Amino acid sequence: MGAYLLRRLLYAVLTFFGITVATFTLIHIVPGDPITFYIGHAGVTTIPKATLDAIKREYHLDEPLPAQYLYWLRGAVTLDFGRSTQDRRPVTERILEKLPNTLQLNIVAFVLAALFGIPIGLWSATRSGRATERASAVFFFLLYSLPSFWVALILMQIFSVKLDILPLFGMNSDDFRELDTFHFLLDRTKHLVLPVITLAYAQLAIFARFSKSALTEVIRQDFITTARAKGAGEGVVLWHHALRNALIPLITLLGLTIPYLISGSVIVEQIFQWDGAGMLYYDAILSRDYPTVMGMTLITALITLIAGLFADILYVFADPRLRLGESIR
Amino acid sequence: MTSPQTWTRFRRSKLALFALVYVALMTLIALLAPVWRIDPDAIDLSHRLAPPDAAHVLGTDELGRDILARMMFGARISLAVGFFATLISVVVGSFFGAIAGYYGRAADWIVSRLIEVVLCFPFLFLVLGIVALFRPSLMTIMIALGLTTWTNEARYIRAEFLRIRELEFAQAARASGARDARIIFRHLLPNAIAPVLVSASFGVAYAILTESALSFLGLGVPLPTASWGSILSDAKSQIEYAWWLILFPGLAIFTTVAAFNVIGERIRDALDPRST
């Protein structure tokens, strides 16, 4: 087990370097003068040549690409991605400022999706072959195929335009500074409802499908047949024997859904004008703010990497069958 | 290898057959769109935001353009991106999967690490970044999608190769002195491609969904070319008046994506009847 964890950790470090190389390469094959990475497009024509040369020296642009990569990497490992070309503020500061808003949205969506999705999935696994099970399978399938931005527009149309009970977009009402704590939270909750639903429904479908197939897989195994043959009641077989084993694979979902959530928040934040990291990224790519784009790309990849690592470690502790050197999945 | 039994089992699902017919119909509409008598980009300011009626069956947008015509041309974009992005994904995935599965050892190790790196990037972030920075166009979108989604195909092909590379027919080919490339492409790949059908079908669904999301975010195929996502994007500013701008393009995306997902699901069931 120790050897496995050590190898997994080593691979994670390796993957991290892979991520940095990929990010750096991707940005540097984008057509255009690299100096625009640091001063923006407008800067190239307005700044005198001597100043440009000084900037090039300052950012090591006069050195070969591998050296530039190392300079960038040195900053990146300490989460220093330089300054944004939009407002000259440090990239890390800008990201950390918006991240809590994104997390608020994502955590609520994640928890709700798990809270409803997992029990529904487990329940439908126990009804295998019946009409309700097949109907729910198709339903989740369709849910998964719905484009989130369409769902958002429909929700807005119904709840904000027609019924006028929820705000159309934004994080707070205009007068939020004058509200007391209770009404501020109430106001924020109202603003959260539609974005959370938009983010959560597809997650819910994924959770339901995954937990259903996990339990179905376990029910098929020999030890369940043995338990039944011993005369254990169907309830005991399910809740005592099967469920524990079915829950273990769910851990991997933790690592798998993080990138989907991050991806989803770009769309949701954009539609609902939610002032989070997804919007920051969207604005950054539109204004070609390369330091911010690189910073966001690296940080989100890093979050995914850590979530995956965390899930794998949890998995080892949750499943006593995993022994030294044995590979997972 | 897809056997006749697979098709028999696939056919048993009415939903899957329906999805197949639907996709065929949508493809036909996409191909025949230019034959349609209405110009999708024709601006008619005297008929702005007209609700569905006899003249404009699905209504018009804020420039008086016919939504039905725009959606028919939008089908071309969606299906083209769906098919070609998936094609790139299958080619790249098969290449890496075949190398990893056939040579094993160092090759397998390198490909596995490469897949790990690609999977760490939140998919939409990567695609959005690539498309925006290299300037949005049909080609950029297809390539960006293809180069970020090949990991599934690679894993399927790798697993199949590991399973079949020591089977008798592969050994026979090797014994008869065939070169590696010939063994891989002529003998192994055709026998390993069946599971890829499943991920390719899901891949088309995902590519269509992503293209419409990109267009919705204003980073899709450049305007005024019609795309389902860009019609929805216009609908955003008309949300208080024009329900038809929201309903029809969204329905088109949803049903097409669902159809490809259903087909993928049923192929998977048909290939492996034991799985649910």
Side-chain angles (χ1 to χ4, degrees):
Chain A
M1 191 173 97
Y4 167 74
L5 289 181
L6 193 70
R7 200 183 51 185
R8 186 68 185 75
L9 208 65
L10 220 68
Y11 280 176
V13 174
L14 213 65
T15 309
F16 172 75
F17 283 106
I19 291 169
T20 60
V21 172
T23 307
F24 186 84
T25 313
L26 217 58
I27 294 293
H28 281 79
I29 54 174
V30 170
D33 190 343
I35 193 151
T36 59
F37 291 14
Y38 300 96
I39 56 172
H41 271 296
V44 182
T45 46
T46 51
I47 296 173
K49 191 167 182 313
T51 322
L52 276 182
D53 287 342
I55 294 172
K56 274 187 183 164
R57 261 196 309 282
E58 187 190 331
Y59 288 108
H60 313 289
L61 292 179
D62 48 354
E63 293 184 50
L65 269 185
Q68 287 184 37
Y69 165 72
L70 289 178
Y71 281 116
W72 177 71
L73 183 66
R74 195 177 62 185
V77 291
T78 55
L79 293 183
D80 174 10
F81 301 104
R83 287 168 185 277
S84 156
T85 58
Q86 285 166 287
D87 57 7
R88 317 294 308 156
R89 288 172 52 219
V91 167
T92 314
E93 193 183 300
R94 298 180 82 213
I95 296 175
L96 288 181
E97 185 182 281
K98 306 288 187 191
L99 211 52
N101 292 341
T102 298
L103 286 180
Q104 193 176 59
L105 197 62
N106 280 307
I107 289 173
V108 178
F110 183 87
V111 170
L112 283 180
L115 223 54
F116 287 98
I118 295 173
I120 294 173
L122 295 177
W123 171 80
S124 65
T126 66
R127 333 247 333 144
S128 179
R130 299 190 205 187
T132 46
E133 181 258 345
R134 265 174 292 159
S136 72
V138 173
F139 176 71
F140 284 119
F141 214 74
L142 295 181
L143 204 58
Y144 183 71
S145 305
L146 278 172
S148 64
F149 44 92
W150 187 46
V151 172
L153 286 179
I154 292 174
L155 289 173
M156 285 162 126
Q157 173 121 50
I158 296 174
F159 293 100
S160 309
V161 178
K162 290 259 150 54
L163 300 176
D164 197 20
I165 48 174
L166 290 169
L168 201 51
F169 50 72
M171 288 182 14
N172 306 294
S173 299
D174 293 337
D175 59 348
F176 78 99
R177 274 176 231 283
E178 288 135 44
L179 298 173
D180 57 61
T181 314
F182 173 74
H183 284 96
F184 173 78
L185 288 177
L186 189 73
D187 182 55
R188 174 58 64 88
T189 311
K190 274 187 177 172
H191 282 83
L192 266 170
V193 176
L194 296 187
V196 162
I197 295 176
T198 310
L199 210 51
Y201 76 86
Q203 284 291 310
L204 189 143
I206 295 175
F207 275 118
R209 284 170 57 80
F210 199 91
S211 48
K212 183 190 162 201
S213 67
L215 187 57
T216 311
E217 195 63 36
V218 172
I219 288 175
R220 253 191 225 127
Q221 285 175 18
D222 289 343
F223 73 94
I224 295 294
T225 316
T226 310
R228 286 198 179 122
K230 280 193 316 191
E234 199 54 23
V236 175
V237 169
L238 265 181
W239 300 114
H240 186 75
H241 295 270
L243 195 59
R244 297 166 160 216
N245 290 288
L247 288 178
I248 295 174
L250 281 180
I251 294 172
T252 48
L253 259 187
L254 186 75
L256 288 175
T257 52
I258 298 286
Y260 282 97
L261 275 173
I262 296 175
S263 288
S265 46
V266 183
I267 298 177
V268 171
E269 287 179 13
Q270 186 55 31
I271 300 174
F272 291 100
Q273 296 296 298
W274 193 268
D275 194 17
M279 268 231 314
L280 179 79
Y281 182 72
Y282 181 77
D283 290 340
I285 53 170
L286 281 195
S287 48
R288 300 189 162 248
D289 178 355
Y290 290 96
T292 307
V293 171
M294 286 169 89
M296 272 300 287
T297 310
L298 197 64
I299 285 184
T300 49
L302 202 59
I303 292 175
T304 311
L305 179 69
I306 291 170
L309 184 67
F310 188 65
D312 275 5
I313 292 173
L314 260 179
Y315 206 113
V316 173
F317 283 107
D319 193 337
R321 287 168 301 187
L322 293 172
R323 290 282 172 265
L324 196 133
E326 202 176 319
S327 63
I328 298 175
R329 202 160 60 96
Chain B
M1 200 68 188
T2 41
S3 60
Q5 293 100 298
T6 310
W7 169 238
T8 313
R9 279 195 294 264
F10 180 85
R11 223 174 37 187
R12 215 174 286 156
S13 162
K14 286 203 180 60
L15 193 62
L17 279 185
F18 180 71
L20 212 55
V21 171
Y22 186 77
V23 165
L25 205 68
M26 199 54 97
T27 313
L28 204 66
I29 290 176
L31 290 174
L32 293 180
V35 185
W36 188 246
R37 59 202 160 76
I38 301 176
D39 178 1
D41 302 325
I43 294 172
D44 177 4
L45 294 177
S46 59
H47 288 96
R48 299 174 62 217
L49 293 174
D53 60 17
H56 301 283
V57 183
L58 299 183
T60 64
D61 65 6
E62 75 275 20
L63 294 175
R65 293 174 296 194
D66 184 70
I67 293 300
L68 179 61
R70 288 187 76 68
M71 278 181 56
M72 287 172 72
F73 276 82
R76 294 167 73 83
I77 302 289
S78 287
L79 291 177
V81 169
F83 286 125
F84 288 107
T86 306
L87 189 68
I88 296 174
S89 168
V90 167
V91 170
V92 176
S94 300
F95 174 76
F96 282 118
I99 287 182
Y102 185 75
Y103 293 103
R105 295 170 182 278
D108 190 16
W109 191 87
I110 292 171
V111 171
S112 299
R113 300 289 84 73
L114 190 63
I115 290 177
E116 270 170 31
V117 170
V118 174
L119 286 180
C120 270
F121 290 101
F123 171 74
L124 196 64
F125 259 59
L126 201 54
V127 174
L128 262 177
I130 296 175
V131 169
L133 298 182
F134 286 88
R135 303 202 183 287
S137 76
L138 200 57
M139 198 52 97
T140 334
I141 295 173
M142 288 175 189
I143 293 174
L145 275 167
L147 293 184
T148 45
T149 56
W150 55 270
T151 51
N152 277 332
E153 279 84 1
R155 285 198 296 205
Y156 278 121
I157 291 279
R158 174 184 170 274
E160 281 297 295
F161 264 53
L162 286 177
R163 190 176 65 81
I164 62 177
R165 71 173 175 192
E166 296 305 331
L167 293 184
E168 276 177 15
F169 75 95
Q171 285 184 342
R174 215 168 294 138
S176 68
R179 285 178 301 120
D180 282 358
R182 191 180 163 80
I183 299 175
I184 291 176
F185 290 112
R186 286 297 297 274
H187 299 278
L188 294 182
L189 207 54
N191 287 294
I193 210 79
V196 169
L197 274 178
V198 179
S199 78
S201 196
F202 290 139
V204 174
Y206 210 59
I208 291 176
L209 206 55
T210 310
E211 185 279 322
S212 58
L214 288 173
S215 295
F216 182 79
L217 292 173
L219 290 170
V221 180
L223 298 172
T225 308
S227 137
W228 294 341
S230 65
I231 303 174
L232 272 179
S233 182
D234 292 342
K236 202 165 45 169
S237 52
Q238 311 295 339
I239 192 164
E240 305 194 6
Y241 331 100
W243 56 268
W244 58 93
L245 280 181
I246 297 174
L247 185 66
F248 300 123
L251 216 52
I253 301 168
F254 168 53
T255 49
T256 311
V257 169
F260 278 106
N261 273 336
V262 165
I263 293 171
E265 179 95 339
R266 297 303 160 172
I267 300 176
R268 181 167 62 193
D269 290 355
L271 286 173
D272 179 15
R274 213 183 63 96
S275 79
T276 42

